[in-house]
Amino acid sequence: LYFIPYIYVVFAYLKLGEKSVKKYVVSILVLISLVLGIIFSFQPPSDLKTAQEIFIYEFELILGPVIFIVIGWLLYKFRRDEL
């Protein structure tokens, strides 16, 4: 899940500069590798044997990013426009 910020970087790269086929091909390949990395990170380590250990692992893996997304959304929602 450490790869999630890099997805934003790829989309920012697409928005910058001129449009070219090479840029889109590279971006698609990077997105595919990032998504595969995120998917494979959900595979629990081999030392987790019981269903409870695997559930806790998956729960922490999903809940961690959700907490930070909610914090970011709340900061955005309750921001003050004083600039």
Side-chain angles (χ1 to χ4, degrees), residues 60-78:
E60 290 174 349
L61 205 59
I62 293 169
L63 189 63
V66 169
I67 288 172
F68 284 103
I69 289 170
V70 168
I71 289 171
W73 179 77
L74 289 171
L75 288 172
Y76 176 75
K77 183 168 174 53
F78 296 110

Side-chain angles (χ1 to χ4, degrees), residues 3-70:
F3 299 127
I4 292 174
Y6 292 106
I7 293 174
Y8 295 115
V9 172
V10 171
F11 286 122
Y13 172 70
L14 282 173
K15 291 184 96 174
L16 295 174
E18 61 189 47
K19 309 290 184 212
S20 68
V21 173
K22 179 183 172 185
K23 191 177 202 179
Y24 285 104
V25 169
V26 168
S27 298
I28 289 171
L29 291 174
V30 171
L31 281 175
I32 289 171
S33 65
L34 287 171
V35 169
L36 286 174
I38 291 170
I39 290 171
F40 290 143
S41 72
F42 283 95
Q43 176 67 30
S46 60
D47 62 336
L48 299 179
K49 301 294 183 196
T50 66
Q52 180 183 5
E53 290 174 337
I54 294 172
F55 175 77
I56 291 171
Y57 173 78
E58 299 287 338
F59 185 70
E60 290 174 349
L61 205 59
I62 293 169
L63 189 63
V66 169
I67 288 172
F68 284 103
I69 289 170
V70 168

